[in-house]
Amino acid sequence: MNIVLGVAGGIAAYKVCHVVRLLKEQGHSVRVVPTEAALKFVGAPTWEALSGQPVATDVFDHVEEVQHVNVGHSADLVIVAPATADLLARARAGMGNDMLAATLLVATCPVVYVPAMHTQMWQHPATQDNVATLRARGAHVMEPASGRLTGTDSGPGRLPEPADIVEYALSQVEGLPSTALAGTATALADTQVFISAGGTREPLDPVRYLGNRSSGKQGVALAQVALDMGANVTVCAANVANDVLEPIRGRATIVPVETTEELHEQCVAHGEESELIIMAAAVADYRPAEIAEHKMKKSGDEGMTLSLVQNPDILKDLVARFGDTKTIVGFAAETGSDESTPESLAQQKLLRKGCRALVFNSVAQGAVFGDDATSVIVYERDGDDVRERVRASGTKQEVSRVVMESVAQLLPS
């Protein structure tokens, strides 16, 4: 397949080098068309070496070949990554003031934009209007990832991982052989998937609560991958920040909750209609026996004694209700103990809960919570035995891809 890879002038251009490599490894012909600004981040020799084809940025380059028309005409797919706010605006306006813009004007094949920019640029009404217009015209605009941006800022606007870009882009080409799609783009087609994300909070009074440090990033990343694999996804979000949820907003059904009891109620309500249930939320095991009506005050030099009662075991209850008809996957964030390793505690939890599989990650010294990277082991239960299915390390998006591909294989054929 002939693929044109447009590169706009953003610092994320360096990650697109790996997109070229992945496409070439799958046997595609790749022609890189950068803007002049893009060459300030990654030079023409790099693009030519990776793609094996010449690079042109101006409509007056190689005029005798009429490149500003022929490159777009010969393309089976156009990918623009990163698609900056400026590039999206020029594409929406139909400008043809450089080689990439002209190529977009003449291309009749699927066009995929992969935005990457600062959060405020992405959320600006002008950019959102440009994206909506391009989509209305038939273009495909991939949602940006959420995470660390240039400098100290964090939020939606980060370029998705190269493997995710490739899979999303190739999935937009009708009739493309399944071997070129890496076999995952429709692995969960029309499957009803329920995912819990975040961490529950148990109020002590109108101000304070008992909670944990889960950000919900892993659950949201799992939802993104499930959506890309064709699933219908519901996410029960326990105290997940808006910027974390942004990548799935409008694509998944989001149900906000606060407490463990609220989460339990929604899990039961949505579990009946779901074929795959993934419990990624960090759930409080206990809640205060009483919630103070007013903010609690210090009294002298005395400490405070809290009376706690046990919360329902949501995962175990879901297994009891739906374990015979649904594929249920638990999560275990373990620190280990003096007597047991984190891995052994996770395996014990899998047998104790009775779910089909369990995703384990170590959180010793606060690792993983709120980070963009993680490392997991997926365990599978076979009666009273536990076996390791797969290990994965990398960004939470990359790990989610491995987890979802493994879990999809557990669903009834």
Side-chain angles (χ1 to χ4, degrees):
M1 185 166 62
N2 292 321
I3 298 176
V4 171
L5 180 58
V7 185
I11 193 170
Y14 79 93
K15 295 175 68 175
V16 182
C17 293
H18 193 47
V19 173
V20 179
R21 183 180 296 277
L22 291 173
L23 291 170
K24 293 283 288 181
E25 287 175 350
Q26 293 193 26
H28 302 294
S29 171
V30 182
R31 177 71 175 267
V32 180
V33 181
T35 64
E36 283 290 344
L39 294 182
K40 294 182 181 296
F41 295 96
V42 180
T46 298
W47 297 123
E48 292 178 344
L50 290 172
S51 67
Q53 298 200 45
V55 162
T57 61
D58 194 281
V59 293
F60 294 104
D61 291 338
H62 304 288
V63 175
E64 75 282 0
E65 299 178 14
V66 199
Q67 286 194 112
H68 71 291
V69 173
N70 290 336
V71 170
H73 274 174
S74 63
D76 299 308
L77 171 67
V78 175
I79 306 169
V80 183
T84 59
D86 174 77
L87 185 283
L88 292 171
R90 290 195 291 127
R92 184 261 177 89
M95 299 179 69
N97 55 338
D98 63 12
M99 184 67 177
L100 178 53
T103 298
L104 292 170
L105 279 176
V106 301
T108 57
C109 61
V111 177
V112 174
Y113 295 93
V114 188
M117 64 198 73
H118 195 273
T119 299
Q120 277 67 43
M121 292 181 180
W122 170 247
Q123 295 175 340
H124 194 281
T127 302
Q128 291 300 304
D129 187 51
N130 292 336
V131 168
T133 299
L134 291 170
R135 282 173 170 163
R137 293 174 182 167
H140 307 279
V141 183
M142 188 177 184
E143 289 292 319
S146 183
R148 179 72 177 270
L149 305 173
T150 305
T152 60
D153 292 339
S154 182
R158 180 184 174 93
L159 189 77
E161 294 305 313
D164 297 320
I165 294 172
V166 169
E167 183 171 343
Y168 177 85
L170 294 180
S171 70
Q172 310 308 319
V173 182
E174 294 184 8
L176 192 66
S178 59
T179 53
L181 293 175
T184 62
T186 58
L188 292 175
D190 298 323
T191 302
Q192 299 294 327
V193 177
F194 177 85
I195 300 173
S196 70
T200 59
R201 297 175 179 176
E202 307 298 336
L204 291 163
D205 60 25
V207 176
R208 303 177 180 88
Y209 61 84
L210 298 177
N212 58 69
R213 291 188 283 173
S214 176
S215 65
K217 289 182 178 180
Q218 186 69 78
V220 170
L222 288 165
Q224 285 183 268
V225 173
L227 288 163
D228 291 342
M229 294 170 72
N232 302 312
V233 180
T234 297
V235 176
C236 195
N239 307 292
V240 180
N242 286 332
D243 65 325
V244 175
L245 290 170
E246 194 63 33
I248 61 170
R249 199 176 300 281
R251 301 179 66 202
T253 300
I254 300 174
V255 182
V257 297
E258 180 178 3
T259 68
T260 300
E261 289 185 312
E262 291 171 354
L263 176 62
H264 186 202
E265 180 181 341
Q266 293 300 325
C267 288
V268 172
H270 292 279
E272 185 66 47
E273 63 193 33
S274 302
E275 300 162 73
L276 173 61
I277 300 171
I278 302 178
M279 296 299 296
V283 179
D285 293 327
Y286 297 91
R287 67 182 186 275
E290 296 182 0
I291 302 174
E293 183 177 355
H294 304 288
K295 180 182 176 182
M296 295 182 291
K297 302 292 185 181
K298 288 190 292 186
S299 178
D301 296 327
E302 297 295 323
M304 177 185 293
T305 300
L306 295 176
S307 178
L308 304 177
V309 296
Q310 191 164 303
N311 270 322
D313 189 326
I314 300 178
L315 181 56
K316 194 169 185 178
D317 182 57
L318 292 176
V319 171
R321 291 174 184 266
F322 309 124
D324 293 337
T325 58
K326 319 288 184 183
T327 300
I328 302 176
V329 179
F331 262 68
E334 300 287 354
T335 62
S337 66
D338 293 337
E339 297 80 22
S340 303
T341 65
E343 291 81 0
S344 65
L345 290 176
Q347 294 176 40
Q348 293 168 27
K349 180 176 180 178
L350 175 56
L351 293 174
R352 189 169 65 251
K353 303 292 185 179
C355 49
R356 184 72 173 85
L358 184 137
V359 181
F360 154 75
N361 62 301
S362 175
V363 292
Q365 286 80 51
V368 177
F369 286 123
D371 292 344
D372 292 322
T374 189
S375 179
V376 306
I377 303 174
V378 179
Y379 292 113
E380 177 186 1
R381 182 182 62 84
D382 183 10
D384 292 331
D385 295 324
V386 174
R387 68 183 184 91
E388 181 180 315
R389 282 189 62 84
V390 69
R391 292 177 180 239
S393 297
T395 68
K396 288 183 176 177
Q397 196 74 22
E398 292 169 334
V399 167
S400 293
R401 177 73 54 188
V402 175
V403 170
M404 291 304 301
E405 289 175 359
S406 178
V407 168
Q409 297 172 12
L410 298 176
L411 290 167
S413 58

